[in-house]
Structure formats: structure tokens, C-alpha cells
């Protein structure tokens, strides 16, 4: 029976015991330590696990470490996590600053430090023909659809940017009417990028309605080695109809006949699908690549940094994002096939698909 002189409602002792047993212990985390979270939270925010972030922090520490601890300077881990959050989300700098409890200017400086540091490792993590022996790469490609002697797949993708000021603004408009940077990528069978060619400036116009990929190949310094191919790696590249067929660079038949040529085209499409998967994983892992609101030269540095991070994530077997199906870009065939390219294509059809 409750006492009439006490206004508080009585609490049963049993209920109090149950509350005490099921009470969730509060955990006060250090805001200065971005790694004081579960792995699932870190992957969602930064696209890397705790071990992956520690690896990147150790790798970049000599390049991004603050020279002083005055004015509560950011630690290397904080600087790396700020940049990774921007790469992963692609949001505005002030939003990243609000999430990390720092100012917008500090976010801008941290991101710049990190992408310039990652740029130094382009030749370490983006290597042609691969980090493994060429024979392993060929076997990996052959296991996909039975296409022989393939050492890489190549294609181009456009990274949208904001319209740059100045007289060269029109040179960045692609054939879809969007300001973008044309990026040519070569990848392996495990979706690691092997070569990157970024075209940021007016010397390589983007407006190439029919043969934009072919022109990228002719203008990129990386592709010049293949234009004078001497068989150093004894392998071939696969491309789509936006490229001309060469001895080292095979493309589909524009109008295949039923039988061997159709089987050749189907095997080539399945084999080079890895480059489309690479683009999909790259843009899903780093959402900033779906639209960069920076100047073209800085956009190119960010693209290169994301390429290095993508290879690090792939090599370390980090969790891969779910890739959305990309629409097929209908390209008109480029009728510049070389006789040596047609002969190499016919030879592969005869030896591997004439059954």
C-alpha cells in the first residue's frame, strides 16, 4: 500500500534489479582518435578497416606529419581519416569538418596533404604488367572466358568536374555535354589498375564523338610503349570498338559472322568486363569521383590518389562495395584497323574459337 504523504510513484525492487542487469554501459570514446570505432563503422566512413587505415597512416606519416604540436595540430591518423572521409563521401568540405570537429580550412589542407602524398606512390602501387608474374595475369584472364595471352584490359571513363573558368572551358565538355576529365585505365584480372592516363588540359580536347578512346591511346605517353610494342611482355590488350585493332591490341569484330567470330566477340566482352567492374568499384568506393568540385589540376591529383587507394584496398582484400550495373555506351566502330591487327585477330579466332 502506497503512502499518501509521498508524491513519487513507488518503484518495485524487482524492476530496479532488471534495469540494472540490462543497463547498457556507456563508452566515452576519445574524439581525437578516429580509430576508436568498430570496424564496420570505419569501413562505412572511410572505406578501410582499422588495419588498413593504420597501414596507410604508417605509409604517409613522413609526408603528412605535422612539424609541430603547437595549436593542437592534427595527428597523422586524423589527417588521413579526414581525407578518406572526403574521398569516400564526396561531400562538401564544411560537412567533413563538422563530422570531424575541425574547420573547413583545416579539412582543405589535410586533403591536399594526403592526395599529394599518395601521388608519390603511384609508381609503387600502380605497376604494369602487375605486382605478380605476367603468366599469372594471363592465366587469370584465360580462366574468365578462354581468351588467350591477355595481359590487360583497357578503357576510358569520364570524371565529372565543375566548369573551369578561363578560355579553355569548352575543351572540358565531353560528347554528352558534361564537363569532365577523360581517364584511361588499364586493369588486371583481379581489378587492380595497372596504368592510368589522365587528360586534364586543353592540349587533348574531350570532344571526340567517334574515336575519343583511340585518340587517348595515341596521345598518352603510357600507350606509346604499346605503339612500338616489341614483345617485352608477350601479351595483348583488350579494348572495345572505340579503339583500332592492332597486333598487340585486339578489339571486337564490328559485324561478326555467326560461329567463330561471334564466339570471339562474346569471349572478349566477358574478359574485358573486368575493366567495367574496376570503374564501378572505384566510383562506388570513392563517391567523390562521381563529381569533383575542384579545379582540373587538383581533380587529376585526387583521381590519381583514389587509384592508389583502390589498389591498396584490393591488394589488402578490403571489403569491396556493391557495384551497380553500368549502362552500355554505344560507340561507333573505328575503321582504322591495321592489317597486322586483323591478322592477329583472325589467328586467335582460328586457333581458339573455330570449333
Amino acid at each position: 500500500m502506497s503512502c499518501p504523504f509521498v508524491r513519487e510513484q513507488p518503484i518495485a525492487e524487482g524492476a530496479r534489479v532488471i534495469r540494472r542487469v540490462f543497463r547498457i554501459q556507456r563508452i566515452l570514446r576519445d574524439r581525437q582518435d578516429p580509430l576508436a570505432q568498430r570496424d564496420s563503422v570505419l569501413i562505412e566512413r572511410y572505406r578501410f578497416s582499422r588495419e588498413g587505415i593504420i597501414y596507410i597512416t604508417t605509409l604517409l606519416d613522413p609526408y603528412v606529419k605535422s612539424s609541430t604540436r603547437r595549436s593542437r595540430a592534427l595527428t597523422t591518423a586524423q589527417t588521413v581519416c579526414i581525407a578518406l572521409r572526403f574521398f569516400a563521401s564526396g561531400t562538401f568540405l564544411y560537412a567533413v569538418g563538422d563530422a570531424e570537429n575541425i574547420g573547413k580550412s583545416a579539412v582543405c589542407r589535410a586533403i591536399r596533404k594526403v592526395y599529394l602524398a599518395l601521388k608519390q606512390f603511384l609508381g609503387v602501387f600502380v605497376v604494369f604488367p602487375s605486382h605478380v608474374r605476367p603468366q599469372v595475369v594471363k592465366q587469370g584472364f584465360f580462366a574468365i572466358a578462354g581468351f588467350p595471352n591477355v595481359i590487360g584490359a583497357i578503357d576510358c571513363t569520364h570524371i565529372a568536374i565543375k566548369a573551369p573558368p578561363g578560355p579553355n572551358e569548352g575543351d572540358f565538355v565531353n560528347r554528352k555535354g558534361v564537363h569532365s576529365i577523360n581517364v584511361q585505365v588499364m586493369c588486371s584480372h583481379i581489378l587492380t589498375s595497372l596504368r592510368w592516363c589522365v587528360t586534364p588540359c586543353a592540349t587533348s580536347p574531350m570532344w571526340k564523338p567517334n574515336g575519343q578512346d583511340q585518340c587517348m591511346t595515341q596521345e598518352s605517353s603510357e600507350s606509346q610503349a604499346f605503339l612500338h610494342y616489341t614483345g617485352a611482355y608477350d601479351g595483348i590488350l583488350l579494348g572495345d570498338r572505340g579503339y583500332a585493332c592492332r597486333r598487340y591490341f585486339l578489339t571486337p569484330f564490328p559485324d561478326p559472322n555467326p560461329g567463330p567470330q561471334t564466339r570471339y566477340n562474346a569471349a572478349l566482352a566477358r574478359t574485358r568486363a573486368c575493366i567495367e567492374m574496376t570503374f564501378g568499384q572505384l566510383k562506388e568506393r570513392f563517391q567523390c569521383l562521381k563529381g569533383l568540385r575542384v579545379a582540373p589540376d587538383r581533380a587529376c591529383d585526387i583521381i590519381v590518389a583514389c587509384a592508389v587507394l583502390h589498389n591498396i584496398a584490393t591488394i589488402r582484400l578490403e571489403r569491396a562495395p556493391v557495384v551497380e550495373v553500368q549502362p552500355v555506351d554505344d560507340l561507333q566502330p573505328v575503321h582504322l584497323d591495321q592489317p597486322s591487327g586483323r591478322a592477329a585477330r583472325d589467328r586467335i579466332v582460328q586457333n581458339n574459337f573455330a570449333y
Side-chain angles (χ1 to χ4, degrees):
M1 184 175 179
S2 60
C3 179
F5 303 104
V6 180
R7 294 185 177 180
E8 292 80 3
Q9 295 294 327
I11 300 176
E13 187 64 27
R16 186 174 295 169
V17 172
I18 292 175
R19 290 180 184 177
R20 190 181 302 119
V21 170
F22 290 97
R23 180 180 299 165
I24 299 175
Q25 184 69 26
R26 293 184 63 189
I27 300 176
L28 301 179
R29 296 184 176 89
D30 184 8
R31 291 192 175 189
Q32 302 299 317
D33 183 13
L35 301 181
Q37 299 286 346
R38 301 186 305 274
D39 254 9
S40 59
V41 176
L42 294 177
I43 292 174
E44 181 182 0
R45 292 180 179 177
Y46 308 117
R47 299 298 190 265
F48 283 88
S49 62
R50 178 178 287 100
E51 290 75 14
I53 296 176
I54 292 174
Y55 174 80
I56 298 172
T57 302
T58 306
L59 187 70
L60 302 184
D61 184 68
Y63 300 90
V64 303
K65 184 179 180 180
S66 298
S67 58
T68 177
R69 293 297 299 166
R70 294 179 59 187
S71 302
R72 299 190 179 187
L74 296 176
T75 64
T76 303
Q78 285 179 295
T79 303
V80 169
C81 287
I82 289 168
L84 290 179
R85 185 186 280 266
F86 170 75
F87 296 151
S89 63
T91 187
F92 293 96
L93 297 185
Y94 67 80
V96 177
D98 292 344
E100 299 289 340
N101 278 333
I102 60 174
K104 177 182 175 181
S105 58
V107 171
C108 183
R109 290 192 296 268
I111 295 172
R112 180 171 173 79
K113 275 186 180 181
V114 171
Y115 70 64
L116 290 180
L118 287 169
K119 188 178 176 182
Q120 305 296 321
F121 293 91
L122 180 64
V124 177
F125 292 100
V126 182
V127 181
F128 182 81
S130 181
H131 294 89
V132 297
R133 293 183 296 109
Q135 190 61 31
V136 177
V137 178
K138 295 178 185 179
Q139 291 174 356
F141 276 114
F142 185 80
I144 298 174
F147 208 104
N149 209 31
V150 178
I151 204 170
I154 190 170
D155 202 359
C156 289
T157 186
H158 285 266
I159 307 297
I161 62 172
K162 73 174 183 179
N168 297 327
E169 178 266 337
D171 295 326
F172 292 89
V173 180
N174 60 26
R175 62 192 180 91
K176 296 183 179 180
V178 179
H179 292 84
S180 66
I181 290 178
N182 201 0
V183 182
Q184 188 180 71
V185 182
M186 190 187 310
C187 79
S188 68
H189 63 291
I190 59 172
L191 309 186
T192 55
S193 54
L194 308 178
R195 281 285 189 182
W196 280 69
C197 176
V198 184
T199 306
C201 58
T203 56
S204 296
M206 299 298 150
W207 186 254
K208 303 180 188 293
N210 294 323
Q212 72 276 18
D213 294 351
Q214 171 68 17
C215 294
M216 280 285 291
T217 304
Q218 293 176 350
E219 291 166 356
S220 66
S221 58
E222 288 85 351
S223 299
Q224 290 299 320
F226 290 99
L227 291 176
H228 305 90
Y229 183 69
T230 58
Y233 302 112
D234 188 27
I236 58 176
L237 298 176
L238 297 183
D240 58 15
R241 295 191 300 169
Y243 298 95
C245 185
R246 301 173 183 268
R247 179 168 60 91
Y248 61 86
F249 198 140
L250 298 185
T251 60
F253 286 97
D255 297 306
N257 297 325
Q261 292 186 2
T262 301
R263 289 193 290 269
Y264 165 90
N265 275 14
L268 187 145
R270 288 181 56 193
T271 305
R272 68 169 296 276
C274 61
I275 187 65
E276 305 296 342
M277 292 290 294
T278 300
F279 290 148
Q281 282 196 9
L282 190 67
K283 292 184 180 181
E284 287 297 323
R285 177 173 274 142
F286 303 114
Q287 297 282 327
C288 69
L289 297 182
K290 293 184 176 180
L292 290 170
R293 296 176 294 273
V294 295
D297 56 341
R298 295 196 176 190
C300 293
D301 291 338
I302 293 174
I303 293 169
V304 170
C306 290
V308 174
L309 290 173
H310 170 75
N311 276 15
I312 292 176
T314 305
I315 294 171
R316 293 185 56 85
L317 301 179
E318 297 284 347
R319 185 186 303 176
V322 179
V323 179
E324 297 180 357
V325 178
Q326 301 294 324
V328 178
D329 196 0
D330 188 17
L331 292 175
Q332 296 297 325
V334 178
H335 300 289
L336 300 174
D337 295 346
Q338 294 185 352
S340 60
R342 290 194 296 267
R345 184 168 59 188
D346 293 339
R347 187 166 52 250
I348 287 183
V349 171
Q350 182 66 28
N351 295 337
N352 297 90
F353 300 100
Y355 50 81

